[in-house]
Amino acid sequence: LTYRELDEAANRLAHHLGACGVSRGDTVAVLLDRDLPLATTTLATLKAGAAYTLLDPDFPTTRLTTITGHSHATHLITTTSHNTDWLDETLQVVLLDQAAVDHLPATPPGVPITPDDTACVMFTSGSTGTPKGVATPHQALTTTLTHQHFTTTAPGDTWLQCSPIPWDAYALELFTPLLHGA
């Protein structure tokens, strides 16, 4: 998948999310396997002006309901391969469907986003009790990714996305290579 193809796919999906009622300031829960649609959906959610909170398909139902409830998610993006019987009736499901997005514009949706808008809601492990959500604004995520000194990244480098999907390291492993042409 090229950078251009990823960008266009994320733009199309962002337009689709907007048509499904996702708007700036919403939080969208993402329940997908580690694959290209996860990367595309993460970017599309941000392009739609919403924040993402990532769900591990292997999490127990109680953890999924806790995260979607505490994050105030309005929508859940998933596929038919994932069980959604646990869903709260207020959470609108958006099934990934390539046919539904193929005809949409490949251009950015043009949703205004500020540095203070929430980019993601990550949850602590819950080892000391109930998992706690941490709302991270675009500014904090961008600063972390562009002003870090613990690794160098250059065009042509290859990164492995291996952290658990809901961890903060997922953002590092997804966005760092994208921001540096790796």
Side-chain angles (χ1 to χ4, degrees), residues 63-81:
R63 174 101 176 173
L64 297 173
T65 57
T66 297
I67 290 173
T68 55
H70 287 201
S71 69
H72 304 288
T74 58
H75 294 74
L76 172 78
I77 303 171
T78 193
T79 63
T80 56
S81 65

Side-chain angles (χ1 to χ4, degrees), residues 66-148:
T66 297
I67 290 173
T68 55
H70 287 201
S71 69
H72 304 288
T74 58
H75 294 74
L76 172 78
I77 303 171
T78 193
T79 63
T80 56
S81 65
H82 294 293
N83 177 14
T84 55
D85 292 343
W86 55 269
L87 283 175
D88 180 306
E89 63 275 354
T90 62
L91 200 59
Q92 183 179 339
V93 176
V94 178
L95 292 175
L96 288 184
D97 176 8
Q98 197 59 45
V101 300
D102 277 344
H103 70 284
L104 295 173
T107 55
V111 177
I113 299 167
T114 72
D116 295 324
D117 286 339
T118 303
C120 58
V121 180
M122 292 176 271
F123 281 80
T124 62
S125 66
S127 59
T128 61
T130 303
K132 293 164 188 65
V134 178
T136 306
H138 283 265
Q139 177 176 315
L141 190 58
T142 303
T143 301
T144 299
L145 296 171
T146 59
H147 293 94
Q148 53 79 19

Side-chain angles (χ1 to χ4, degrees), residues 12-69:
R12 285 186 179 96
L13 183 54
H15 284 286
H16 179 66
L17 294 177
C20 291
V22 173
S23 59
R24 180 177 174 219
D26 286 347
T27 298
V28 173
V30 178
L31 179 64
L32 295 171
D33 295 313
R34 184 188 319 274
D35 202 350
L36 290 175
L38 177 62
T40 304
T41 301
T42 303
L43 294 172
T45 301
L46 294 172
K47 287 173 177 267
Y52 65 84
T53 191
L54 301 174
L55 305 173
D56 188 322
D58 293 329
F59 277 170
T61 300
T62 54
R63 174 101 176 173
L64 297 173
T65 57
T66 297
I67 290 173
T68 55

